[in-house]
Each structure stands twice: as C-alpha cells, then as structure tokens.
PDB file of all heavy atoms in Angstrom:
ATOM      1  N   ASP O   1       4.100  -4.218  -8.932  1.00 97.00           N
ATOM      2  CA  ASP O   1       2.650  -4.143  -9.120  1.00 97.00           C
ATOM      3  C   ASP O   1       2.006  -5.493  -9.437  1.00 97.00           C
ATOM      4  O   ASP O   1       0.987  -5.851  -8.844  1.00 97.00           O
ATOM      5  CB  ASP O   1       2.286  -3.134 -10.206  1.00 97.00           C
ATOM      6  CG  ASP O   1       2.487  -1.701  -9.750  1.00 97.00           C
ATOM      7  OD1 ASP O   1       2.464  -1.447  -8.536  1.00 97.00           O
ATOM      8  OD2 ASP O   1       2.670  -0.831 -10.625  1.00 97.00           O
ATOM      9  N   ARG O   2       2.574  -6.252 -10.354  1.00 97.00           N
ATOM     10  CA  ARG O   2       1.964  -7.547 -10.711  1.00 97.00           C
ATOM     11  C   ARG O   2       1.992  -8.519  -9.535  1.00 97.00           C
ATOM     12  O   ARG O   2       1.053  -9.278  -9.330  1.00 97.00           O
ATOM     13  CB  ARG O   2       2.669  -8.158 -11.920  1.00 97.00           C
ATOM     14  CG  ARG O   2       2.169  -7.540 -13.213  1.00 97.00           C
ATOM     15  CD  ARG O   2       2.689  -8.274 -14.404  1.00 97.00           C
ATOM     16  NE  ARG O   2       3.681  -7.387 -15.014  1.00 97.00           N
ATOM     17  CZ  ARG O   2       4.625  -7.751 -15.837  1.00 97.00           C
ATOM     18  NH1 ARG O   2       4.752  -9.007 -16.178  1.00 97.00           N
ATOM     19  NH2 ARG O   2       5.454  -6.879 -16.338  1.00 97.00           N
ATOM     20  N   LYS O   3       3.058  -8.481  -8.767  1.00 97.00           N
ATOM     21  CA  LYS O   3       3.165  -9.353  -7.589  1.00 97.00           C
ATOM     22  C   LYS O   3       2.091  -8.980  -6.565  1.00 97.00           C
ATOM     23  O   LYS O   3       1.438  -9.850  -5.995  1.00 97.00           O
ATOM     24  CB  LYS O   3       4.566  -9.231  -6.979  1.00 97.00           C
ATOM     25  CG  LYS O   3       4.795 -10.078  -5.769  1.00 97.00           C
ATOM     26  CD  LYS O   3       4.910 -11.523  -6.127  1.00 97.00           C
ATOM     27  CE  LYS O   3       5.362 -12.337  -4.929  1.00 97.00           C
ATOM     28  NZ  LYS O   3       5.492 -13.739  -5.235  1.00 97.00           N
ATOM     29  N   ILE O   4       1.897  -7.691  -6.333  1.00 97.00           N
ATOM     30  CA  ILE O   4       0.870  -7.241  -5.387  1.00 97.00           C
ATOM     31  C   ILE O   4      -0.511  -7.677  -5.860  1.00 97.00           C
ATOM     32  O   ILE O   4      -1.319  -8.173  -5.073  1.00 97.00           O
ATOM     33  CB  ILE O   4       0.942  -5.715  -5.196  1.00 97.00           C
ATOM     34  CG1 ILE O   4       2.208  -5.357  -4.422  1.00 97.00           C
ATOM     35  CG2 ILE O   4      -0.301  -5.185  -4.487  1.00 97.00           C
ATOM     36  CD1 ILE O   4       2.472  -3.873  -4.310  1.00 97.00           C
ATOM     37  N   GLU O   5      -0.803  -7.506  -7.135  1.00 97.00           N
ATOM     38  CA  GLU O   5      -2.103  -7.926  -7.671  1.00 97.00           C
ATOM     39  C   GLU O   5      -2.326  -9.417  -7.461  1.00 97.00           C
ATOM     40  O   GLU O   5      -3.413  -9.844  -7.057  1.00 97.00           O
ATOM     41  CB  GLU O   5      -2.189  -7.562  -9.152  1.00 97.00           C
ATOM     42  CG  GLU O   5      -2.302  -6.075  -9.384  1.00 97.00           C
ATOM     43  CD  GLU O   5      -2.039  -5.665 -10.825  1.00 97.00           C
ATOM     44  OE1 GLU O   5      -1.902  -6.546 -11.699  1.00 97.00           O
ATOM     45  OE2 GLU O   5      -1.973  -4.442 -11.072  1.00 97.00           O
ATOM     46  N   SER O   6      -1.294 -10.213  -7.694  1.00 97.00           N
ATOM     47  CA  SER O   6      -1.391 -11.664  -7.491  1.00 97.00           C
ATOM     48  C   SER O   6      -1.624 -11.999  -6.018  1.00 97.00           C
ATOM     49  O   SER O   6      -2.471 -12.836  -5.681  1.00 97.00           O
ATOM     50  CB  SER O   6      -0.110 -12.337  -7.987  1.00 97.00           C
ATOM     51  OG  SER O   6      -0.111 -13.698  -7.684  1.00 97.00           O
ATOM     52  N   LEU O   7      -0.895 -11.346  -5.134  1.00 98.00           N
ATOM     53  CA  LEU O   7      -1.045 -11.599  -3.699  1.00 98.00           C
ATOM     54  C   LEU O   7      -2.427 -11.201  -3.197  1.00 98.00           C
ATOM     55  O   LEU O   7      -3.022 -11.893  -2.368  1.00 98.00           O
ATOM     56  CB  LEU O   7       0.040 -10.858  -2.910  1.00 98.00           C
ATOM     57  CG  LEU O   7       1.456 -11.395  -3.061  1.00 98.00           C
ATOM     58  CD1 LEU O   7       2.465 -10.431  -2.449  1.00 98.00           C
ATOM     59  CD2 LEU O   7       1.585 -12.781  -2.460  1.00 98.00           C
ATOM     60  N   LEU O   8      -2.963 -10.086  -3.693  1.00 97.00           N
ATOM     61  CA  LEU O   8      -4.286  -9.636  -3.261  1.00 97.00           C
ATOM     62  C   LEU O   8      -5.400 -10.570  -3.735  1.00 97.00           C
ATOM     63  O   LEU O   8      -6.469 -10.621  -3.129  1.00 97.00           O
ATOM     64  CB  LEU O   8      -4.551  -8.208  -3.738  1.00 97.00           C
ATOM     65  CG  LEU O   8      -3.792  -7.120  -2.987  1.00 97.00           C
ATOM     66  CD1 LEU O   8      -4.001  -5.764  -3.644  1.00 97.00           C
ATOM     67  CD2 LEU O   8      -4.201  -7.073  -1.519  1.00 97.00           C
ATOM     68  N   GLU O   9      -5.163 -11.311  -4.806  1.00 96.00           N
ATOM     69  CA  GLU O   9      -6.141 -12.304  -5.254  1.00 96.00           C
ATOM     70  C   GLU O   9      -6.154 -13.521  -4.337  1.00 96.00           C
ATOM     71  O   GLU O   9      -7.149 -14.228  -4.247  1.00 96.00           O
ATOM     72  CB  GLU O   9      -5.823 -12.754  -6.681  1.00 96.00           C
ATOM     73  CG  GLU O   9      -6.099 -11.707  -7.722  1.00 96.00           C
ATOM     74  CD  GLU O   9      -5.681 -12.154  -9.118  1.00 96.00           C
ATOM     75  OE1 GLU O   9      -5.273 -13.322  -9.295  1.00 96.00           O
ATOM     76  OE2 GLU O   9      -5.766 -11.320 -10.038  1.00 96.00           O
ATOM     77  N   THR O  10      -5.053 -13.747  -3.632  1.00 96.00           N
ATOM     78  CA  THR O  10      -4.892 -14.937  -2.796  1.00 96.00           C
ATOM     79  C   THR O  10      -5.125 -14.671  -1.317  1.00 96.00           C
ATOM     80  O   THR O  10      -5.748 -15.475  -0.632  1.00 96.00           O
ATOM     81  CB  THR O  10      -3.467 -15.515  -2.982  1.00 96.00           C
ATOM     82  OG1 THR O  10      -3.238 -15.727  -4.369  1.00 96.00           O
ATOM     83  CG2 THR O  10      -3.303 -16.814  -2.235  1.00 96.00           C
ATOM     84  N   PHE O  11      -4.616 -13.547  -0.826  1.00 95.00           N
ATOM     85  CA  PHE O  11      -4.642 -13.263   0.612  1.00 95.00           C
ATOM     86  C   PHE O  11      -5.549 -12.093   0.940  1.00 95.00           C
ATOM     87  O   PHE O  11      -5.771 -11.215   0.122  1.00 95.00           O
ATOM     88  CB  PHE O  11      -3.222 -12.959   1.112  1.00 95.00           C
ATOM     89  CG  PHE O  11      -2.265 -14.091   0.907  1.00 95.00           C
ATOM     90  CD1 PHE O  11      -1.346 -14.060  -0.139  1.00 95.00           C
ATOM     91  CD2 PHE O  11      -2.285 -15.196   1.737  1.00 95.00           C
ATOM     92  CE1 PHE O  11      -0.467 -15.103  -0.339  1.00 95.00           C
ATOM     93  CE2 PHE O  11      -1.412 -16.246   1.547  1.00 95.00           C
ATOM     94  CZ  PHE O  11      -0.498 -16.203   0.496  1.00 95.00           C
ATOM     95  N   GLY O  12      -6.023 -12.051   2.167  1.00 90.00           N
ATOM     96  CA  GLY O  12      -6.874 -10.965   2.623  1.00 90.00           C
ATOM     97  C   GLY O  12      -6.112  -9.703   2.964  1.00 90.00           C
ATOM     98  O   GLY O  12      -6.677  -8.628   3.050  1.00 90.00           O
ATOM     99  N   ALA O  13      -4.799  -9.829   3.158  1.00 93.00           N
ATOM    100  CA  ALA O  13      -3.976  -8.665   3.497  1.00 93.00           C
ATOM    101  C   ALA O  13      -2.541  -8.921   3.078  1.00 93.00           C
ATOM    102  O   ALA O  13      -2.085 -10.067   3.060  1.00 93.00           O
ATOM    103  CB  ALA O  13      -4.027  -8.405   5.002  1.00 93.00           C
ATOM    104  N   ILE O  14      -1.851  -7.857   2.741  1.00 96.00           N
ATOM    105  CA  ILE O  14      -0.417  -7.942   2.466  1.00 96.00           C
ATOM    106  C   ILE O  14       0.260  -6.776   3.172  1.00 96.00           C
ATOM    107  O   ILE O  14      -0.381  -5.787   3.514  1.00 96.00           O
ATOM    108  CB  ILE O  14      -0.089  -7.923   0.957  1.00 96.00           C
ATOM    109  CG1 ILE O  14      -0.512  -6.606   0.309  1.00 96.00           C
ATOM    110  CG2 ILE O  14      -0.724  -9.107   0.249  1.00 96.00           C
ATOM    111  CD1 ILE O  14       0.011  -6.435  -1.104  1.00 96.00           C
ATOM    112  N   CYS O  15       1.550  -6.912   3.393  1.00 96.00           N
ATOM    113  CA  CYS O  15       2.330  -5.862   4.035  1.00 96.00           C
ATOM    114  C   CYS O  15       3.384  -5.384   3.037  1.00 96.00           C
ATOM    115  O   CYS O  15       4.151  -6.183   2.519  1.00 96.00           O
ATOM    116  CB  CYS O  15       2.997  -6.409   5.299  1.00 96.00           C
ATOM    117  SG  CYS O  15       4.005  -5.191   6.162  1.00 96.00           S
ATOM    118  N   ILE O  16       3.401  -4.090   2.776  1.00 96.00           N
ATOM    119  CA  ILE O  16       4.409  -3.505   1.895  1.00 96.00           C
ATOM    120  C   ILE O  16       5.428  -2.815   2.784  1.00 96.00           C
ATOM    121  O   ILE O  16       5.091  -1.860   3.492  1.00 96.00           O
ATOM    122  CB  ILE O  16       3.776  -2.502   0.910  1.00 96.00           C
ATOM    123  CG1 ILE O  16       2.721  -3.184   0.049  1.00 96.00           C
ATOM    124  CG2 ILE O  16       4.853  -1.857   0.042  1.00 96.00           C
ATOM    125  CD1 ILE O  16       1.918  -2.244  -0.841  1.00 96.00           C
ATOM    126  N   GLU O  17       6.662  -3.299   2.762  1.00 94.00           N
ATOM    127  CA  GLU O  17       7.717  -2.743   3.607  1.00 94.00           C
ATOM    128  C   GLU O  17       8.837  -2.188   2.748  1.00 94.00           C
ATOM    129  O   GLU O  17       9.066  -2.668   1.635  1.00 94.00           O
ATOM    130  CB  GLU O  17       8.286  -3.821   4.529  1.00 94.00           C
ATOM    131  CG  GLU O  17       7.287  -4.356   5.526  1.00 94.00           C
ATOM    132  CD  GLU O  17       7.888  -5.428   6.424  1.00 94.00           C
ATOM    133  OE1 GLU O  17       8.789  -6.173   5.955  1.00 94.00           O
ATOM    134  OE2 GLU O  17       7.473  -5.515   7.575  1.00 94.00           O
ATOM    135  N   GLY O  18       9.535  -1.207   3.273  1.00 93.00           N
ATOM    136  CA  GLY O  18      10.674  -0.631   2.566  1.00 93.00           C
ATOM    137  C   GLY O  18      11.140   0.623   3.266  1.00 93.00           C
ATOM    138  O   GLY O  18      10.522   1.077   4.229  1.00 93.00           O
ATOM    139  N   PRO O  19      12.224   1.209   2.766  1.00 93.00           N
ATOM    140  CA  PRO O  19      12.758   2.420   3.387  1.00 93.00           C
ATOM    141  C   PRO O  19      11.834   3.616   3.177  1.00 93.00           C
ATOM    142  O   PRO O  19      10.964   3.610   2.302  1.00 93.00           O
ATOM    143  CB  PRO O  19      14.097   2.635   2.674  1.00 93.00           C
ATOM    144  CG  PRO O  19      13.958   1.919   1.379  1.00 93.00           C
ATOM    145  CD  PRO O  19      13.022   0.775   1.619  1.00 93.00           C
ATOM    146  N   LYS O  20      12.046   4.618   3.971  1.00 90.00           N
ATOM    147  CA  LYS O  20      11.265   5.848   3.875  1.00 90.00           C
ATOM    148  C   LYS O  20      11.419   6.458   2.484  1.00 90.00           C
ATOM    149  O   LYS O  20      12.494   6.434   1.904  1.00 90.00           O
ATOM    150  CB  LYS O  20      11.759   6.832   4.944  1.00 90.00           C
ATOM    151  CG  LYS O  20      10.854   7.985   5.188  1.00 90.00           C
ATOM    152  CD  LYS O  20      11.342   8.771   6.403  1.00 90.00           C
ATOM    153  CE  LYS O  20      10.336   9.834   6.769  1.00 90.00           C
ATOM    154  NZ  LYS O  20      10.708  10.513   7.988  1.00 90.00           N
ATOM    155  N   TRP O  21      10.332   6.991   1.956  1.00 90.00           N
ATOM    156  CA  TRP O  21      10.281   7.706   0.680  1.00 90.00           C
ATOM    157  C   TRP O  21      10.558   6.818  -0.543  1.00 90.00           C
ATOM    158  O   TRP O  21      11.021   7.302  -1.570  1.00 90.00           O
ATOM    159  CB  TRP O  21      11.235   8.903   0.670  1.00 90.00           C
ATOM    160  CG  TRP O  21      10.908   9.917   1.706  1.00 90.00           C
ATOM    161  CD1 TRP O  21      11.588  10.141   2.865  1.00 90.00           C
ATOM    162  CD2 TRP O  21       9.810  10.822   1.717  1.00 90.00           C
ATOM    163  NE1 TRP O  21      10.987  11.131   3.590  1.00 90.00           N
ATOM    164  CE2 TRP O  21       9.879  11.574   2.899  1.00 90.00           C
ATOM    165  CE3 TRP O  21       8.761  11.070   0.833  1.00 90.00           C
ATOM    166  CZ2 TRP O  21       8.961  12.544   3.225  1.00 90.00           C
ATOM    167  CZ3 TRP O  21       7.842  12.047   1.168  1.00 90.00           C
ATOM    168  CH2 TRP O  21       7.960  12.773   2.351  1.00 90.00           C
ATOM    169  N   CYS O  22      10.246   5.518  -0.472  1.00 92.00           N
ATOM    170  CA  CYS O  22      10.484   4.647  -1.628  1.00 92.00           C
ATOM    171  C   CYS O  22       9.214   4.410  -2.447  1.00 92.00           C
ATOM    172  O   CYS O  22       9.261   3.741  -3.469  1.00 92.00           O
ATOM    173  CB  CYS O  22      11.109   3.325  -1.198  1.00 92.00           C
ATOM    174  SG  CYS O  22       9.988   2.215  -0.336  1.00 92.00           S
ATOM    175  N   GLY O  23       8.059   4.935  -2.000  1.00 92.00           N
ATOM    176  CA  GLY O  23       6.827   4.802  -2.767  1.00 92.00           C
ATOM    177  C   GLY O  23       5.832   3.801  -2.212  1.00 92.00           C
ATOM    178  O   GLY O  23       4.888   3.414  -2.898  1.00 92.00           O
ATOM    179  N   LYS O  24       6.000   3.373  -0.972  1.00 94.00           N
ATOM    180  CA  LYS O  24       5.093   2.389  -0.374  1.00 94.00           C
ATOM    181  C   LYS O  24       3.653   2.899  -0.332  1.00 94.00           C
ATOM    182  O   LYS O  24       2.731   2.173  -0.696  1.00 94.00           O
ATOM    183  CB  LYS O  24       5.550   2.021   1.043  1.00 94.00           C
ATOM    184  CG  LYS O  24       6.912   1.394   1.132  1.00 94.00           C
ATOM    185  CD  LYS O  24       7.304   1.100   2.554  1.00 94.00           C
ATOM    186  CE  LYS O  24       7.348   2.301   3.452  1.00 94.00           C
ATOM    187  NZ  LYS O  24       8.394   3.288   3.207  1.00 94.00           N
ATOM    188  N   THR O  25       3.459   4.127   0.109  1.00 93.00           N
ATOM    189  CA  THR O  25       2.103   4.678   0.211  1.00 93.00           C
ATOM    190  C   THR O  25       1.482   4.832  -1.169  1.00 93.00           C
ATOM    191  O   THR O  25       0.321   4.473  -1.375  1.00 93.00           O
ATOM    192  CB  THR O  25       2.115   6.021   0.963  1.00 93.00           C
ATOM    193  OG1 THR O  25       2.593   5.789   2.294  1.00 93.00           O
ATOM    194  CG2 THR O  25       0.724   6.627   1.028  1.00 93.00           C
ATOM    195  N   TRP O  26       2.223   5.363  -2.122  1.00 93.00           N
ATOM    196  CA  TRP O  26       1.699   5.516  -3.482  1.00 93.00           C
ATOM    197  C   TRP O  26       1.298   4.171  -4.061  1.00 93.00           C
ATOM    198  O   TRP O  26       0.247   4.032  -4.684  1.00 93.00           O
ATOM    199  CB  TRP O  26       2.756   6.163  -4.392  1.00 93.00           C
ATOM    200  CG  TRP O  26       2.732   7.651  -4.332  1.00 93.00           C
ATOM    201  CD1 TRP O  26       3.408   8.437  -3.440  1.00 93.00           C
ATOM    202  CD2 TRP O  26       2.012   8.534  -5.177  1.00 93.00           C
ATOM    203  NE1 TRP O  26       3.142   9.757  -3.691  1.00 93.00           N
ATOM    204  CE2 TRP O  26       2.295   9.841  -4.763  1.00 93.00           C
ATOM    205  CE3 TRP O  26       1.157   8.355  -6.251  1.00 93.00           C
ATOM    206  CZ2 TRP O  26       1.749  10.960  -5.374  1.00 93.00           C
ATOM    207  CZ3 TRP O  26       0.619   9.469  -6.870  1.00 93.00           C
ATOM    208  CH2 TRP O  26       0.920  10.751  -6.429  1.00 93.00           C
ATOM    209  N   THR O  27       2.149   3.156  -3.861  1.00 96.00           N
ATOM    210  CA  THR O  27       1.844   1.825  -4.369  1.00 96.00           C
ATOM    211  C   THR O  27       0.605   1.266  -3.686  1.00 96.00           C
ATOM    212  O   THR O  27      -0.280   0.712  -4.337  1.00 96.00           O
ATOM    213  CB  THR O  27       3.053   0.885  -4.159  1.00 96.00           C
ATOM    214  OG1 THR O  27       4.175   1.440  -4.850  1.00 96.00           O
ATOM    215  CG2 THR O  27       2.778  -0.510  -4.669  1.00 96.00           C
ATOM    216  N   GLY O  28       0.521   1.422  -2.380  1.00 96.00           N
ATOM    217  CA  GLY O  28      -0.650   0.954  -1.643  1.00 96.00           C
ATOM    218  C   GLY O  28      -1.918   1.650  -2.093  1.00 96.00           C
ATOM    219  O   GLY O  28      -2.968   1.023  -2.262  1.00 96.00           O
ATOM    220  N   MET O  29      -1.848   2.968  -2.302  1.00 94.00           N
ATOM    221  CA  MET O  29      -3.016   3.720  -2.766  1.00 94.00           C
ATOM    222  C   MET O  29      -3.460   3.247  -4.150  1.00 94.00           C
ATOM    223  O   MET O  29      -4.652   3.158  -4.421  1.00 94.00           O
ATOM    224  CB  MET O  29      -2.704   5.221  -2.817  1.00 94.00           C
ATOM    225  CG  MET O  29      -2.521   5.872  -1.462  1.00 94.00           C
ATOM    226  SD  MET O  29      -4.038   6.006  -0.523  1.00 94.00           S
ATOM    227  CE  MET O  29      -4.870   7.291  -1.418  1.00 94.00           C
ATOM    228  N   HIS O  30      -2.500   2.933  -5.001  1.00 96.00           N
ATOM    229  CA  HIS O  30      -2.810   2.480  -6.356  1.00 96.00           C
ATOM    230  C   HIS O  30      -3.618   1.185  -6.343  1.00 96.00           C
ATOM    231  O   HIS O  30      -4.509   0.991  -7.159  1.00 96.00           O
ATOM    232  CB  HIS O  30      -1.511   2.282  -7.151  1.00 96.00           C
ATOM    233  CG  HIS O  30      -1.735   1.756  -8.523  1.00 96.00           C
ATOM    234  ND1 HIS O  30      -2.275   2.511  -9.526  1.00 96.00           N
ATOM    235  CD2 HIS O  30      -1.494   0.533  -9.049  1.00 96.00           C
ATOM    236  CE1 HIS O  30      -2.365   1.778 -10.624  1.00 96.00           C
ATOM    237  NE2 HIS O  30      -1.891   0.579 -10.354  1.00 96.00           N
ATOM    238  N   HIS O  31      -3.323   0.311  -5.399  1.00 96.00           N
ATOM    239  CA  HIS O  31      -3.957  -1.008  -5.353  1.00 96.00           C
ATOM    240  C   HIS O  31      -5.159  -1.073  -4.404  1.00 96.00           C
ATOM    241  O   HIS O  31      -5.782  -2.120  -4.285  1.00 96.00           O
ATOM    242  CB  HIS O  31      -2.929  -2.071  -4.949  1.00 96.00           C
ATOM    243  CG  HIS O  31      -1.868  -2.265  -5.984  1.00 96.00           C
ATOM    244  ND1 HIS O  31      -2.062  -3.020  -7.114  1.00 96.00           N
ATOM    245  CD2 HIS O  31      -0.616  -1.773  -6.077  1.00 96.00           C
ATOM    246  CE1 HIS O  31      -0.972  -2.995  -7.855  1.00 96.00           C
ATOM    247  NE2 HIS O  31      -0.082  -2.244  -7.250  1.00 96.00           N
ATOM    248  N   SER O  32      -5.485   0.022  -3.739  1.00 95.00           N
ATOM    249  CA  SER O  32      -6.583  -0.001  -2.765  1.00 95.00           C
ATOM    250  C   SER O  32      -7.824   0.710  -3.295  1.00 95.00           C
ATOM    251  O   SER O  32      -7.756   1.521  -4.207  1.00 95.00           O
ATOM    252  CB  SER O  32      -6.137   0.655  -1.462  1.00 95.00           C
ATOM    253  OG  SER O  32      -5.881   2.023  -1.660  1.00 95.00           O
ATOM    254  N   LYS O  33      -8.950   0.376  -2.665  1.00 95.00           N
ATOM    255  CA  LYS O  33     -10.214   1.045  -2.987  1.00 95.00           C
ATOM    256  C   LYS O  33     -10.632   1.994  -1.867  1.00 95.00           C
ATOM    257  O   LYS O  33     -11.537   2.796  -2.033  1.00 95.00           O
ATOM    258  CB  LYS O  33     -11.315   0.010  -3.235  1.00 95.00           C
ATOM    259  CG  LYS O  33     -11.069  -0.799  -4.489  1.00 95.00           C
ATOM    260  CD  LYS O  33     -12.194  -1.757  -4.746  1.00 95.00           C
ATOM    261  CE  LYS O  33     -11.916  -2.572  -5.998  1.00 95.00           C
ATOM    262  NZ  LYS O  33     -12.917  -3.613  -6.202  1.00 95.00           N
ATOM    263  N   SER O  34      -9.996   1.868  -0.706  1.00 96.00           N
ATOM    264  CA  SER O  34     -10.242   2.781   0.412  1.00 96.00           C
ATOM    265  C   SER O  34      -8.982   2.821   1.264  1.00 96.00           C
ATOM    266  O   SER O  34      -8.101   1.973   1.125  1.00 96.00           O
ATOM    267  CB  SER O  34     -11.441   2.313   1.249  1.00 96.00           C
ATOM    268  OG  SER O  34     -11.153   1.107   1.908  1.00 96.00           O
ATOM    269  N   SER O  35      -8.898   3.816   2.133  1.00 95.00           N
ATOM    270  CA  SER O  35      -7.686   3.940   2.947  1.00 95.00           C
ATOM    271  C   SER O  35      -7.959   4.665   4.256  1.00 95.00           C
ATOM    272  O   SER O  35      -8.945   5.398   4.383  1.00 95.00           O
ATOM    273  CB  SER O  35      -6.600   4.695   2.168  1.00 95.00           C
ATOM    274  OG  SER O  35      -7.005   6.006   1.906  1.00 95.00           O
ATOM    275  N   VAL O  36      -7.064   4.453   5.196  1.00 94.00           N
ATOM    276  CA  VAL O  36      -7.031   5.205   6.441  1.00 94.00           C
ATOM    277  C   VAL O  36      -5.555   5.490   6.722  1.00 94.00           C
ATOM    278  O   VAL O  36      -4.705   4.619   6.577  1.00 94.00           O
ATOM    279  CB  VAL O  36      -7.706   4.452   7.620  1.00 94.00           C
ATOM    280  CG1 VAL O  36      -7.020   3.147   7.931  1.00 94.00           C
ATOM    281  CG2 VAL O  36      -7.760   5.331   8.855  1.00 94.00           C
ATOM    282  N   MET O  37      -5.264   6.740   7.044  1.00 94.00           N
ATOM    283  CA  MET O  37      -3.888   7.167   7.295  1.00 94.00           C
ATOM    284  C   MET O  37      -3.698   7.367   8.790  1.00 94.00           C
ATOM    285  O   MET O  37      -4.156   8.362   9.359  1.00 94.00           O
ATOM    286  CB  MET O  37      -3.578   8.461   6.538  1.00 94.00           C
ATOM    287  CG  MET O  37      -3.806   8.371   5.062  1.00 94.00           C
ATOM    288  SD  MET O  37      -2.744   7.107   4.340  1.00 94.00           S
ATOM    289  CE  MET O  37      -3.072   7.335   2.621  1.00 94.00           C
ATOM    290  N   LEU O  38      -3.027   6.437   9.439  1.00 93.00           N
ATOM    291  CA  LEU O  38      -2.835   6.517  10.887  1.00 93.00           C
ATOM    292  C   LEU O  38      -1.826   7.588  11.277  1.00 93.00           C
ATOM    293  O   LEU O  38      -1.854   8.084  12.392  1.00 93.00           O
ATOM    294  CB  LEU O  38      -2.392   5.156  11.436  1.00 93.00           C
ATOM    295  CG  LEU O  38      -3.380   4.012  11.235  1.00 93.00           C
ATOM    296  CD1 LEU O  38      -2.824   2.730  11.842  1.00 93.00           C
ATOM    297  CD2 LEU O  38      -4.737   4.334  11.816  1.00 93.00           C
ATOM    298  N   GLY O  39      -0.941   7.958  10.366  1.00 89.00           N
ATOM    299  CA  GLY O  39       0.059   8.977  10.654  1.00 89.00           C
ATOM    300  C   GLY O  39      -0.370  10.384  10.304  1.00 89.00           C
ATOM    301  O   GLY O  39       0.421  11.313  10.399  1.00 89.00           O
ATOM    302  N   ASP O  40      -1.634  10.579   9.923  1.00 89.00           N
ATOM    303  CA  ASP O  40      -2.141  11.900   9.559  1.00 89.00           C
ATOM    304  C   ASP O  40      -2.277  12.759  10.814  1.00 89.00           C
ATOM    305  O   ASP O  40      -2.995  12.388  11.749  1.00 89.00           O
ATOM    306  CB  ASP O  40      -3.500  11.750   8.869  1.00 89.00           C
ATOM    307  CG  ASP O  40      -4.069  13.059   8.366  1.00 89.00           C
ATOM    308  OD1 ASP O  40      -3.444  14.119   8.586  1.00 89.00           O
ATOM    309  OD2 ASP O  40      -5.146  13.022   7.744  1.00 89.00           O
ATOM    310  N   PRO O  41      -1.602  13.912  10.868  1.00 90.00           N
ATOM    311  CA  PRO O  41      -1.660  14.736  12.076  1.00 90.00           C
ATOM    312  C   PRO O  41      -2.988  15.474  12.268  1.00 90.00           C
ATOM    313  O   PRO O  41      -3.191  16.102  13.306  1.00 90.00           O
ATOM    314  CB  PRO O  41      -0.521  15.734  11.881  1.00 90.00           C
ATOM    315  CG  PRO O  41      -0.305  15.802  10.417  1.00 90.00           C
ATOM    316  CD  PRO O  41      -0.681  14.450   9.871  1.00 90.00           C
ATOM    317  N   ALA O  42      -3.913  15.364  11.321  1.00 86.00           N
ATOM    318  CA  ALA O  42      -5.209  16.057  11.441  1.00 86.00           C
ATOM    319  C   ALA O  42      -5.932  15.625  12.714  1.00 86.00           C
ATOM    320  O   ALA O  42      -5.958  14.452  13.072  1.00 86.00           O
ATOM    321  CB  ALA O  42      -6.079  15.764  10.220  1.00 86.00           C
ATOM    322  N   GLY O  43      -6.520  16.579  13.370  1.00 84.00           N
ATOM    323  CA  GLY O  43      -7.291  16.278  14.579  1.00 84.00           C
ATOM    324  C   GLY O  43      -6.463  15.634  15.666  1.00 84.00           C
ATOM    325  O   GLY O  43      -6.933  14.752  16.378  1.00 84.00           O
ATOM    326  N   ASN O  44      -5.198  16.076  15.784  1.00 87.00           N
ATOM    327  CA  ASN O  44      -4.303  15.536  16.815  1.00 87.00           C
ATOM    328  C   ASN O  44      -4.158  14.016  16.676  1.00 87.00           C
ATOM    329  O   ASN O  44      -4.260  13.282  17.643  1.00 87.00           O
ATOM    330  CB  ASN O  44      -4.787  15.927  18.215  1.00 87.00           C
ATOM    331  CG  ASN O  44      -3.705  15.752  19.256  1.00 87.00           C
ATOM    332  OD1 ASN O  44      -2.527  15.782  18.936  1.00 87.00           O
ATOM    333  ND2 ASN O  44      -4.104  15.554  20.501  1.00 87.00           N
TER     334      ASN O  44
END
C-alpha cells in the first residue's frame, strides 16, 4: 500500500501484476476514486 501511494504521487499510472486471486483488484479499488471493469460479463 505505501509503495502504491508513493508511485501514484509520482506517476500518472501504475500496473499491479500478480497471480490470480492475490488481491490485485481489491488493492486497486482501495487506491482508486473511480473504476471500470473490462472483464465484467454484464451486457455481453
């Protein structure tokens, strides 16, 4: 978390990578003010 906060103060974007089910989305949601889910099956 502290590393992400530091990076977001410096850069316009960061990439969070890791294995499936490790908490990437939860971590991203925690640090974001808005979101879009490209993998959401809603509306095909």
